[in-house]
Every structure is written in C-alpha cells, then in structure tokens.
Amino acid sequence: VSTQSTGSSGINAEYGKQWYQRRVRETPCSGQGTCRGEGEREKKEGKQAGTCQCNNGYNGTLCDGCKDKFVRVEDTKTCEECSTLCKSQNCTAPGPQGCVECRMGYEMVEETGCTDINECQREGMGCGDPLEECVNSAGSYECVCKTGYNSRWEMSARRFIRK
C-alpha cells in the first residue's frame, strides 16, 4: 500500500481555496442582498447577467455601499440608519450622537447627542401669557389655556375669556 503525502501546506491551501469559493457562492452581493438572474456578472451566450437586489440601507452593484441617510459602522461593516433626530438624517455614526446637525426642536448635547429642547423652561420661549400653560413635547411645545379659560381670536389678537 502506497500513500502520497501532500504536506500540511497543500491541504491548507486546498481547504482555503474551497472555503473561499464556497463563501463567495454563499454570500453573493456582499451578504447584503439577493442575486437575481444567472449569477454571472457579465452576459454570456444569451444568459442574463446576475444583478444584486440590495437589502434596506445598502447600494452599489455588489451591495457594498450605504444609501443616503445610512452610515457604515466600521467594527461590524454594516450600514445603519442615521437617527431621525438628525437634520436631513445626515450623520457620521448611528444614534443621536452621530448627527452632523440636529433637526428643529433639538440641540446637540455633548453627552447624549441631539436632545429635545424644553421650550417651556427657556427664557424668551414658550407661551408668554399668564393664562396659558406651556406643554413640552418631543421637538415642539403647545400652549393650552389654564383651567377655567378659553381663548378666541378677535381682530387679529388672541383674547382669553372665563368659561
């Protein structure tokens, strides 16, 4: 009985090549989309060329880029959506701390990123009338009549009347 030794480097090289080929077949479109068509990148002999249909947030012919309003997270190599608190959803990292600029009603706070402005507690903001209460909400505020009062507009001026 004769045996032939390929040596450990030959086995590892062949295994590595098979693993790489299997990995490429198993993760077309950079693993971030599905392959449509024949799977070939170019048209050959009348066969339709394969194209990638990218997952949400990804773009490019191989789904290896991030769409607008998404940002690449380097440690995971994924595209994540910018926070809705970012103006125009423009960011450098996911979450409110990654915003380039905050949308209206929010301000950049170093520790937390874009944070709601409480207009009711800011001097010069809020309602300004002693018969109104200021109610803060996410990104905005509302002025409501204090208990026992209604308001109405008369000749371009707001007037408060007792109920």
Side-chain angles (χ1 to χ4, degrees):
V1 175
S2 94
T3 60
Q4 186 176 1
S5 173
T6 59
S8 64
S9 63
I11 291 171
N12 288 339
E14 184 59 31
Y15 173 77
K17 181 179 174 185
Q18 289 173 358
W19 177 87
Y20 177 76
Q21 289 172 340
R22 193 171 55 253
R23 178 83 174 134
V24 168
R25 277 195 307 269
E26 290 172 2
T27 58
C29 306
S30 304
Q32 301 301 338
T34 55
C35 188
R36 303 278 187 224
E38 298 295 324
E40 300 291 331
R41 297 305 309 155
E42 299 175 16
K43 264 188 166 178
K44 292 182 183 177
E45 301 171 16
K47 291 184 177 181
Q48 181 181 359
T51 58
C52 291
Q53 182 175 351
C54 301
N55 295 341
N56 187 35
Y58 295 86
N59 65 8
T61 56
L62 295 175
C63 301
D64 54 358
C66 296
K67 284 184 177 177
D68 286 344
K69 300 181 182 181
F70 285 79
V71 65
R72 179 165 303 284
V73 179
E74 286 306 316
D75 57 337
T76 61
K77 303 289 186 216
T78 58
C79 295
E80 291 192 28
E81 192 167 10
C82 295
S83 171
T84 57
L85 303 181
C86 301
K87 184 176 182 179
S88 303
Q89 280 191 284
N90 185 12
C91 67
T92 58
Q97 289 180 308
C99 296
V100 173
E101 190 177 350
C102 300
R103 74 177 201 198
M104 189 163 44
Y106 293 83
E107 64 185 346
M108 184 59 74
V109 175
E110 189 174 337
E111 301 83 33
T112 58
C114 291
T115 304
D116 176 53
I117 297 170
N118 187 338
E119 294 87 353
C120 299
Q121 293 180 347
R122 292 271 173 100
E123 192 171 323
M125 295 180 98
C127 301
D129 192 294
L131 297 177
E132 289 181 304
E133 288 184 23
C134 185
V135 179
N136 189 54
S137 60
S140 188
Y141 69 98
E142 181 181 10
C143 298
V144 295
C145 292
K146 287 189 175 183
T147 304
Y149 290 91
N150 284 330
S151 69
R152 69 175 182 215
W153 288 93
E154 292 180 1
M155 296 195 288
S156 301
R158 191 166 181 197
R159 215 168 151 186
F160 294 91
I161 54 173
R162 275 209 173 286
K163 287 184 179 179

